Amino acid sequence: MGTTETRGPAPGRSAVVLALRRYGRELFRLRVLALPALLLPALGNVGTRYVAPLLIAKLAGQAADDGGLTLASALPYVLGFGVTLLLAEVVWRAGQHCLNRVDALGMEHLYVRGMDELLAQDAAFFHDNFAGSLTKRVLSFGRRFEDFVDTMTYRVVGSLVPLVFGAVVLWTYEPMLVVGLLAMIALTVAAATPLVRRRQRLVNDREAAIARVSGHVADSLTNMETIRAFAAERREADEHRRRVAESRRLTLRSWDYGNLRVDVLVAPMSVLTNVLGLVVAIAFGGSGQGVEEIVVAFAYYSNATQIMFEFNQIYRRLESAMTEAAQFTELLLDPPTVLDPTEPEPLAPEDTGIRFEAVSFAHAGAKPIFRGLDLDVPAGARIGLVGRSGGGKTTLTRLLLRMSDIDDGRILIGGQDISRLRQSDLRSLIAYVPQEPAMFHRSLRDNIAFARPGATDEEIHAAAAAAHVTEFADQLPDGFATLVGERGVKLSGGQRQRVALARAVLRDAPILLLDEATSALDSESELLVQDALWRLMDGRTALVVAHRLSTVAGMDRLVVLDHGSVVEQGTHEELLTANGAYAKLWRHQSGGFLGENGENGESSESAGSAPGSPVPGAGPGGLPGPADPVPDGDDRTSSHVRTSTGPT
């Protein structure tokens, strides 16, 4: 189970700073609401914690001076006390009203921005991160904004503003009261800061452990079929239990450190501060205001020491919120490598011809796949990409889609460098069917319509019929409204490929990329779908990746890739006559499929492997289609070019 481990360094300072900047910009964006949201609760605290006790202190001083109180003499203080509390409550409610909107609007915006940031990442980013971990991080980034703002409102601003007010009042009684209070607060902060920093590292470990639990849960649920197939439920449950136990251990470690180290320091300091306040009030209190000064000193010092005691709790809330937010922002420290140009060219290709010019490419940290690759695909041509696994066929299609950017050279469509186009404009030219079609946990209709959301039901059903989706869709419980399950688990591999092909039909783009588009189909279904593909390719520029050579043997031209280089080009018949790499692959596959008596997987001529022999059962392009099978004497050459560009 160690292969699913994602243990890594905790978010660094730069990630935390970036999270703070994002939250700060959000508060500034909502400043009309954020300013009253931050200040009004603090003003309410001034009323309840400082103005009200001040009135009580003056009432006590009046009683001491007069030797007692009457209702008439006490009435102004009593009324002032009540009005103060009532106004404080009104101010509090108004602040809470604004705060609710700051939290809601801020979280909404951050949820959207977070998803936008993920969607802007390139393909390699998602290969290196668990979907479950990313889900937790992006949602926590938005959700933790509420914790951050609430803590700043109630605990930070809500404590500091009243503290400043209290210090001003204490100064009017005795400056030494202010000096003593500020000195004790400064001493407590200085002593607690190293401990708090140590605890920050423990919190980072705790949050990383929680992310690992989330990532493992998502990974297990996504691959539940594999878990069941290998009877690995107990192993996965044990791994989950181990990760949860590790999370619990690290969580308790951080909590205990706060309770047994930080609070053990702060608690005696708060007691000492309260005692010091009384001593200063008694020692420096002048005649005639001793009682009032003592009451004020007691009340104000108690409130101030409460802030000291809550210092760890305040920092604990802030560090938890910012650490979890930084789990997401650390992903943004390395910007995506595939970006739209600053000044993109308008999409205006001369045609749909594709050209790879001196293209070099390597995945990060890996050996180069292509070095100076040159390949020309004329507009309207049907090109088959064949060769051994790992030769670069799929990579070539992904580079054309700009899933990754090349290291050197150019890729042109209709004379336009694709790196100068918006990614959305580039991909609008292409209908793509990958090796493993991706399905959303949505209805069958939604999965097909994903290619063109504005399509009508008639267009969707027509595309489904062309890809032979209707043949199984009618058997589903709710027809086209049936949910296909996460990653399309309710559909077979062949059914998923038909849905992906229906998307390509509905996309109706002038360039068609097919990467093993029929590999998961049974023979009968493949004949039907290949007929649809042949019709789809008519008038379009098509790049078709295939390991099963019989599916592309009748293409206009076959390009044989090996170790990132074009080793052969030509028609099926020309390449068999050349007796090179393609002929060897053809003989190997023919022998393997037909089971004849050739050695090393090579069949005899009677097996249909002789150079120049037609593809058994193949129509034009190697795909059964509306036309009759191509005779042996088909005169197409490797330079065959079709000028039609297809619909745009």
Side-chain angles (χ1 to χ4, degrees), residues 216-268:
H216 178 261
V217 169
D219 196 38
S220 298
L221 294 179
T222 301
N223 295 284
M224 187 56 67
E225 290 288 335
T226 303
I227 292 173
R228 297 206 184 284
F230 286 88
E233 293 92 342
R234 179 48 51 197
R235 292 205 310 270
E236 290 298 306
D238 290 343
E239 175 67 10
H240 178 65
R241 186 178 296 107
R242 183 187 70 79
R243 290 172 182 257
V244 171
E246 176 71 0
S247 175
R248 180 259 307 156
R249 184 183 69 81
L250 293 174
T251 298
L252 281 177
R253 186 181 177 189
S254 67
W255 288 352
D256 287 344
Y257 192 89
N259 180 47
L260 301 178
R261 296 293 297 276
V262 181
D263 288 349
V264 164
L265 169 69
V266 173

Side-chain angles (χ1 to χ4, degrees), residues 46 97 155 162 177 182 312 566 630:
V46 169
H97 180 81
R155 300 299 186 94
L177 288 172
L182 296 181
N312 179 46
V566 176
V630 177

